[in-house]
Amino acid sequence: MLRFLICLLLSTAALAQPAAPKPYSQRMADAFLRWYPDSLGLTQNKAARWGYEQGLMLLAIERVAQRTGLPRYHDYVVRTLDYLLPGDGTILGYKAADYNLDNINTGRVLLALGRAPGPRRAVYRQAAQLLHQQLTEQPHTSEGGYWHKKKYTSQMWLDGLYMAEPFAAEYSQVFQAPAGFDHVAQQFALVEKHLVDPKTGLLYHGWDESHAEKWANPSTGQSPNFWSRGMGWYAMALVDVLDYFPKNHPQRVQLVKYLQRLAPVLARYQDAKTGCWFQVTDQGQRAGNYVEASGSCMFVYALAKGVRLGYLDKKYAAVTKKGYAGILQQFVQTEPDGLLALTGTVSVGGLGGSPYRDGSYEYYLSEPLKKNDFKGVGPFIMASLEMEAAR
């Protein structure tokens, strides 16, 4: 009887304990699913478009699914992609003739689903092959560097490395196409050659081989400034392609060295006060500049993953902890309905086009900030998953 009473008391005490709070990665994913509950094609639902932002979010949600094992996250990803893939070998909203590297990024989710058994596995793999065909025909510089888009003649942008190369590396692994790894490594080598500033170690946003663009330096072809999200795309691309590169590939060591070269540069430009990074990375004290959410989340993700996988010295864990604490303080808020929200993401950043974007300091500060922008929310979830794994 005494044993029964003790067990009853222990059980009652256990039931009285409050449930452990969900981690930030899951809370933000839950918020996103509440913002966009129907992924099946409503015109106001951005999640039902084919674009890099949607791919970024779906990849983040799929990683939450993998971490938690909860089916609702994976089901959401499947539902969204199935709407975009009618099964006739096409992708709704995708135009291969644009030769736009941004359109490749969602292919990473196709590959993730195509690895698992299921009734639509062949459809996902076929769609991935369609995207890869674009890469085989992508216009490129004289050295083989992909143009960012067909309309951006002779230009390589940092953004493009994230949009295309993790997909290309994983595709090469899935479809056993080892020559693809050589081409992935070449893209990073060309960025290191043409976009790294020897004085600071930072990377310029874009490079024009022709030197013809108004934003291009007449001598180097480089754009004028360092944009944190641009470098964030590049840093994430580096740590992600290494997931798929063969251990014995001759360029794998060089890719790790690129990351190791970049890490102390990012640490140097981390804001001492907030722990975050500025929109224009190297000009934190200049009037109008501000710490920006998406670039900060991307840097924390890349550095934390680099530490976890042994590419980077453990001393960079302190940089990630300071950065993540700053992100939570500066940008994350709880709404009246209890959902998380992320503020402080710059809506866009580009070069050229119409109206013309000249890459000046003033240009980068002119683009509006957005709340719950996919380009901030996705990297926040990924950074949170890394920080949660490090505990």
Side-chain angles (χ1 to χ4, degrees), residues 7-70:
C7 291
L8 181 62
L9 288 171
L10 290 174
S11 300
T12 303
L15 290 171
Q17 293 293 323
K22 290 181 182 179
Y24 278 105
S25 59
Q26 192 176 348
R27 290 180 64 191
M28 191 62 83
D30 287 345
F32 181 82
L33 267 59
R34 286 275 296 277
W35 303 332
Y36 300 98
D38 183 359
S39 62
L40 302 179
L42 298 177
T43 56
Q44 67 269 30
N45 185 352
K46 288 179 66 178
R49 282 184 51 227
W50 188 265
Y52 74 93
E53 296 183 51
Q54 289 70 29
L56 181 68
M57 279 307 313
L58 293 177
L59 182 64
I61 293 171
E62 181 62 20
R63 289 184 178 177
V64 173
Q66 294 166 2
R67 177 67 60 84
T68 64
L70 296 173

Side-chain angles (χ1 to χ4, degrees), residues 80-93 120 123 126-127:
T80 302
L81 281 183
D82 282 354
Y83 167 76
L84 296 163
L85 302 173
D88 59 357
T90 63
I91 301 172
L92 296 181
R120 304 243 319 154
V123 174
Q126 183 181 26

Side-chain angles (χ1 to χ4, degrees), residues 148-224:
H148 189 62
K149 300 179 184 179
K150 182 180 179 180
K151 66 180 182 179
Y152 295 144
T153 305
S154 303
Q155 299 170 36
M156 294 187 74
W157 293 12
L158 293 178
D159 319 32
L161 276 291
Y162 183 80
M163 301 308 158
E165 302 316 314
F167 167 81
E170 186 174 3
Y171 184 96
S172 299
Q173 182 190 79
V174 169
F175 289 94
Q176 299 181 356
F181 294 112
D182 298 336
H183 201 70
V184 170
Q186 179 190 29
Q187 302 304 305
F188 285 96
L190 290 172
V191 164
E192 291 286 320
K193 177 180 179 180
H194 293 294
L195 286 166
V196 175
D197 174 47
K199 294 181 180 179
T200 63
L202 297 169
L203 293 97
Y204 293 101
H205 185 181
W207 172 68
D208 173 19
E209 182 181 36
S210 71
H211 300 194
E213 283 290 333
K214 288 184 289 184
W215 55 255
N217 183 302
S219 300
T220 66
Q222 295 162 340
S223 60

Side-chain angles (χ1 to χ4, degrees), residues 64-174:
V64 173
Q66 294 166 2
R67 177 67 60 84
T68 64
L70 296 173
R72 69 174 180 271
Y73 302 113
H74 178 73
D75 291 348
Y76 183 90
V77 173
V78 170
R79 209 163 59 239
T80 302
L81 281 183
D82 282 354
Y83 167 76
L84 296 163
L85 302 173
D88 59 357
T90 63
I91 301 172
L92 296 181
Y94 167 67
K95 296 180 181 179
D98 290 343
Y99 292 104
N100 182 349
L101 293 184
D102 290 345
N103 287 332
I104 302 297
N105 185 49
T106 307
R108 299 180 67 183
V109 192
L110 293 174
L111 290 172
L113 298 185
R115 285 176 178 269
R120 304 243 319 154
R121 182 171 182 259
V123 174
Y124 303 137
R125 291 169 69 90
Q126 183 181 26
Q129 289 173 315
L130 179 64
L131 295 177
H132 189 263
Q133 182 62 32
Q134 176 190 318
L135 291 182
T136 66
E137 301 169 357
Q138 188 78 11
H140 53 76
T141 68
S142 62
E143 297 170 296
Y146 291 143
W147 296 3
H148 189 62
K149 300 179 184 179
K150 182 180 179 180
K151 66 180 182 179
Y152 295 144
T153 305
S154 303
Q155 299 170 36
M156 294 187 74
W157 293 12
L158 293 178
D159 319 32
L161 276 291
Y162 183 80
M163 301 308 158
E165 302 316 314
F167 167 81
E170 186 174 3
Y171 184 96
S172 299
Q173 182 190 79
V174 169

